[in-house]
Amino acid sequence: MAVHQKAAKAADPKDELAARLRLLQELSERGVRALARDAGLSSSSLSRYLSGQTVPPWPAVVALCRLLKRDPRPLRPLWERASNPLPAPPKTSRQVQPPSPPAGAPRPPRNDLPRDVPDFTGREAQLAAVLAAVDSSRVVAIDGMAGVGKTCLAVHAAHRLGADYPDAQLYLDLHGFTAGREPLGPDPALRALLAALDVPSEKIPQEGGIEPLAACWRSELVHRRAVVVLDNVADADQVRPLLPGAGPSVALITSRNRLLGLDEVPPVSLDVLTPQESAELLSRASGDPGGPDSRLARDPESAAEVVRLCGQLPLALRLAAARLRHRPGWTVGILVERMAEGATEFDTAFAMSVRQLDRTQRRFFRLLGLMPGSTFDEYVAAALADIPLRSARAMLEDLLDAHLVQQPAAGRYRLHDLVRQHARRAATEQDSPAELDQALRRVLDYYVHAAAAGDAAMSYLSPSRAVSAGPPPPELPRFAGKHAALYWFATEYTNLMAVFEAAVAAGADAHVCELPRFMRAFFARRCGTTHLNVLFERSLVAAQRLGDPVQLAEAHSDLGFARYNAGRMAEAEAAYKAAAPLVSQTGDTRSEAELTMRRGYLRWDEGYVEEPLDLFRLAGKLYADAGCPTGAVHATAYEAWAMLQLGHREEAARLARAALDTPHTDPAWPPTLTARITLGVAIAPEAPGEALEHLEQALTLAREDGHKHNEAWCLNCMGVALRQMGRHEEALASHRQAFALLDELFEEHWKIHFLDGYAETCRLAGLPEEALLLHRQALELAPKLGYRYAEALAHEGVAAVLDESDPPTAAEHRAAGHAILQELKPAT
């Protein structure tokens, strides 16, 4: 009897299946926990499967086989016998042959979904969107670039849906972008799906084309609750016949293209992971145990570089993690070195996406890889490829639908870093060096001409100087006004800097000379002075290589003005001296007028009086001779300002009103601003209401113009005017706002213009200690900057504060201020 029981037990399909699974475990060389983790199973369940206590579900058997690259199909009959055990034999004295399984017994539901990855990371919002779309429409299309995790998300969602769709869980790869394979046509795809549902061959139409097959497929789904993953779809035509019709079944589609032809199917588009999600996925997929001693934790900078090199792309992160997981001797730094060596697995993947494009589109895509900046618009794309704007717009839309281009904002495009690398590498391999150089030159030409157009919209000096760097592109952005131009400069700023560096690297000296020149007005409003000085230093070097006297004259003059605005007075004077003979040699009257105005600013801030007044008057005449009346008015406005500083209120007011009487379409043009500030301070004691009206208008205009330095100037002068009206608390508040703005700009040297007025308000408001502190700040700053007149005013201010408390020290400061003024007199 014991022998018979042993034989029966050996023949038990449940035990035989368990024995086969234990053999798989031995082949895997993994413990139960490790095998369960890698197969996406719980370790307790796997223990029961291996011991024969429980028959595993068929997907678990498939997962184990696929993990070890074994075909699960030979195990299917054994699994079916184990899942449907025969009735126990009757208890008789003789052995009874067990009955055969009943004919036509139902097979278990089909489930051939790929394994759900155990380290699924992020995508909470996208997963919710997929499930919501399935709930409302029964079909969803997940699109995104190669490697972004479309299949992973679809499979994860399908596993989540499995319990609600128990009749079948199907997966079909349509090979829309598989290297070396043509996309799977609807006919073989439908036959594969029908076979997966065990539809008898006699029910499957053999003739008549796609429609009968599609109808048969839809009818089979009507009474089933099935979830179908249609992966790697090339286009809408390929997948449309495969969609379920009436009934409860659902389909999840993935494609690198936006399936615009499926209007009724809600899309879910995937982007790369966030940096935090990327770091988490890298850690989980690499088997990193975490903690301070893990490889990733010991070298966080290299870990962050891996994330950067992967472009936060899930597939790239998984591939990098796999290299770490299987190379325990590697540091993360070694992985970074290997990843930076060149072409990657993604070149093949992206090449399959590019293959669907026509020849013109492929060339356009390759050239986009040459773009110096981070984002771009249709205008520069058209210039790059030397095609009409309309064509560039249409091809960008095509590339956007193919997820080869991203659109971070309306009208702005970019390439993912890995896509950019692929495009650039393809351009190097397929296009001639001459063609690539010409494409880059067209981009440089475009940006110089576009910057010139923006500068003309922002500048009060019209017409703007002509561009000589290169031919204009066929189409440029149209700036409705200075605010539109300012917005363009702010949007394109990082690109403009990248283009400047590209011009330097390419030896495009004319572009290096002109691009910063057309950005001066923008820099005055947004960027401060330090960077502009660096740009003009490099422009001067380029101009010296060119040897063109016009370019060289402009470069010296522009560098001098940048030095002046940075408070580097001696260097500014040296640059102007170098520019003067060159400007005279060119015979350009307007350039001479501009240099004369700049020399006037400099000489005034150095403390001279008569000379800058003469320079402002000469500049006005030169502007008029050059046919630039706006420049002449600007010179008049500055003459008015200088007269005000000298105490000639009536003459200052007269000149300011003359400047204001000159009409101009832009209420915020600089002469108007200067004239309103001058007039407001000049008439404050006699006409406080009109004075404040002018100053408030100037402040409003400066704020609308986005010019922070001018806003601070207006606020400080309003403080001076309010002080003259006896409104000390309001005056102090205005001064403090001005200095808070300068603190935001990180340009301490600008305070030298405002310290005397602020300190005098403090003294008259009964704050002598604060006044003394401000005057001493001016005494420290003025000699460094070369502002001799400001230094003299500071000495006088200290003397006024100390007259009663410390007469000897006050006398010393008054004498020092008088000595400085005497030094300045011979030069006047």
Side-chain angles (χ1 to χ4, degrees), residues 83 122 137 152 185 271 299 328 383 408 459 493 516 522 526 543 568 581 589 595 602 613 712-713 730 761:
S83 301
S137 302
C152 189
D271 201 348
D299 193 354
S459 176
Y493 175 71
F522 169 69
R526 286 288 188 273
R568 297 159 66 173
T589 306
L595 179 61
L602 176 65
L613 279 173
W713 184 27
E730 294 172 78
T761 300

Side-chain angles (χ1 to χ4, degrees), residues 139-226:
V139 182
V140 63
I142 304 169
D143 58 70
M145 65 184 293
V148 81
K150 303 179 293 296
T151 301
C152 189
L153 175 61
V155 169
H156 184 72
H159 279 281
R160 287 277 297 268
L161 293 166
D164 295 329
Y165 296 89
D167 296 334
Q169 292 90 44
L170 306 182
Y171 171 87
L172 183 63
D173 187 347
L174 295 174
H175 298 292
F177 300 91
T178 302
R181 285 197 59 166
E182 289 298 317
L184 190 66
D187 184 291
L190 285 165
R191 295 186 187 279
L193 290 169
L194 289 166
L197 290 181
D198 288 330
V199 177
S201 59
E202 61 269 18
K203 290 183 61 177
I204 300 175
Q206 301 302 318
E207 298 178 356
I210 300 301
E211 283 306 318
L213 275 173
C216 179
W217 162 245
R218 292 192 295 269
S219 69
E220 289 295 330
L221 291 180
V222 166
H223 304 297
R224 286 181 168 92
R225 294 187 62 82

Side-chain angles (χ1 to χ4, degrees), residues 205-333:
Q206 301 302 318
E207 298 178 356
I210 300 301
E211 283 306 318
L213 275 173
C216 179
W217 162 245
R218 292 192 295 269
S219 69
E220 289 295 330
L221 291 180
V222 166
H223 304 297
R224 286 181 168 92
R225 294 187 62 82
V227 57
V228 184
V229 176
L230 301 170
D231 193 22
N232 200 4
V233 171
D235 54 38
D237 291 338
Q238 184 190 25
V239 76
R240 187 179 290 107
L242 314 184
L243 301 183
S249 294
V250 300
L252 289 75
I253 306 166
T254 76
S255 179
R256 295 188 194 179
N257 291 332
R258 290 178 176 171
L259 302 178
L260 302 178
L262 300 180
D263 296 334
E264 73 283 6
V265 176
V268 174
S269 294
L270 296 191
D271 201 348
V272 296
L273 297 174
T274 66
Q276 294 77 14
E277 292 169 340
S278 301
E280 182 183 352
L281 178 57
L282 179 66
S283 176
R284 296 177 66 187
S286 65
D288 188 69
D293 293 330
S294 70
R295 281 186 287 180
L296 294 172
R298 287 198 304 268
D299 193 354
E301 291 184 1
S302 293
E305 180 65 6
V306 171
V307 170
R308 189 194 70 79
L309 289 170
C310 290
Q312 300 164 223
L313 203 60
L315 180 57
L317 289 162
R318 289 187 183 281
L319 290 170
R323 296 171 82 174
L324 269 186
R325 187 174 66 247
H326 293 294
R327 293 166 176 81
W330 274 20
T331 64
V332 187

